[in-house]
Amino acid sequence: MNASAHPPESSSADLATQPAPQVRVLQPLRLGDPLRWLRAGWHDLMVARGIALFYGICFWLMAVVLGAVFRNLPQYTMSFVSGCFLVGPFLAMGLYEASRRREQGLPQSLGASLTCWDKHLGSMGMLVLVVMLLELLWGRASLVVFAVFFNTGMPSTAGVLKAIFNPQNWQFIAVYTVVGGIFAGLVFSTCVVSIPMILDRDTDAITAGIASIQVVAGRTGPMLVWGALIVLLVLGAMLLPWALGLLLVGPWLGHASWHAYRGSFTWQSPVPAPGN
């Protein structure tokens, strides 16, 4: 039989040149690390100001339209929020790409940031579906809370604001805050580092989501600080006239979130078992 009919066996030298699989290792984090992420994100923003301005305008327009819908057509507010959850992760990935390119010494490109998700569409789509499902459950739970405390029907837009900020409704405020906090925590835990991981390592949505939850569960203190900083910065940006602060805060937090991911994990080759 002709020896060429059998495929040649891989030599040990060939196997040695193949890249070894890597495993993620959770990094130790300090309470001050979120401030370090913000500083690094600010440096990225200053390097790619044009890209940051583009994404800042996108976030700002979403906030302006959401405010207009809430004031004029409150019944469509949750539908628009669902659309924001659909578009937001793809916008955020563009900012992560800009930070990734700066980290690797690559030239900045708005086009690259706009199309970086096309190779990860399957994973991103699955993750967005999970986030939208959580958001829909959140909205349903909010309706149940309102139905329990307002048996005369759903209040108007002005009535909702009055109910939320009325100290006499402290029981409603407490329950509404707890329910909202639970779902906000689930969304935050699932997404805090999962999207940049999908971009960086091309992982599937389940693996990225589990890794993100692992960070929050294993490094709860620093991640609570990070979540609080995000809320404070976004609220502060939206309190400015016409929510103009989002032009800066939106891309700033996007760049900083890339550094939150990079600071949370390192990737190492697995240690061979004894005797191998």
Side-chain angles (χ1 to χ4, degrees):
M1 182 180 293
N2 191 348
S4 62
H6 297 279
E9 296 182 358
S10 299
S11 65
S12 57
D14 293 333
L15 294 175
T17 61
Q18 296 178 357
Q22 292 186 318
V23 296
R24 64 178 184 271
V25 178
L26 189 61
Q27 290 287 84
L29 295 176
R30 299 184 301 270
L31 292 178
D33 282 338
L35 295 176
R36 180 172 58 83
W37 301 336
L38 286 174
R39 286 194 297 269
W42 181 261
H43 292 318
D44 290 350
L45 187 150
M46 289 293 101
V47 169
R49 298 180 188 180
I51 295 176
L53 178 61
F54 171 81
Y55 285 101
I57 291 174
C58 291
F59 288 126
W60 174 72
L61 286 175
M62 289 169 62
V64 170
V65 174
L66 177 59
V69 170
F70 181 75
R71 287 191 301 270
N72 301 303
L73 296 169
Q75 64 272 26
Y76 295 111
T77 300
M78 293 306 298
S79 298
F80 187 79
V81 170
S82 299
C84 292
F85 273 112
L86 180 63
V87 176
F90 291 96
L91 292 177
M93 184 175 269
L95 292 164
Y96 304 152
E97 173 66 10
S99 291
R100 186 190 71 84
R101 293 177 71 87
R102 178 171 183 256
E103 184 180 284
Q104 297 184 359
L106 300 174
Q108 295 294 337
S109 168
L110 178 61
S113 72
L114 289 172
T115 58
C116 63
W117 51 265
D118 60 353
K119 297 179 181 179
H120 317 282
L121 189 58
S123 298
M124 283 294 295
M126 179 63 68
L127 185 63
V128 168
L129 286 177
V130 171
V131 173
M132 288 187 65
L133 176 61
L134 290 173
E135 187 270 335
L136 291 174
L137 292 174
W138 188 349
R140 179 64 64 180
S142 298
L143 291 177
V144 171
V145 173
F146 271 105
V148 169
F149 286 92
F150 299 94
N151 52 16
T152 58
M154 282 290 294
S156 62
T157 302
V160 170
L161 296 176
K162 183 178 179 180
I164 292 176
F165 294 104
N166 188 352
Q168 295 181 352
N169 295 328
W170 66 269
Q171 291 178 321
F172 161 75
I173 296 172
V175 174
Y176 192 80
T177 301
V178 170
V179 171
I182 291 173
F183 281 97
L186 287 173
V187 172
F188 176 76
S189 299
T190 305
C191 297
V192 63
V193 299
S194 57
I195 300 176
M197 179 178 289
I198 290 174
L199 174 66
D200 184 41
R201 311 297 299 190
D202 195 26
T203 58
D204 60 273
I206 301 299
T207 300
I210 291 174
S212 187
I213 294 172
Q214 178 189 7
V215 173
V216 176
R219 305 293 183 263
T220 305
M223 283 298 157
L224 285 177
V225 173
W226 180 229
L229 287 174
I230 292 174
V231 172
L232 290 174
L233 286 171
V234 171
L235 287 179
M238 296 189 70
L239 288 176
L240 292 177
W242 292 92
L244 288 174
L246 285 176
L247 292 170
L248 177 65
V249 170
W252 183 17
L253 288 175
H255 288 302
S257 296
W258 168 262
H259 295 282
Y261 156 70
R262 295 291 286 162
S264 298
F265 288 113
T266 186
W267 300 86
Q268 300 177 357
S269 300
V271 178
N276 290 346

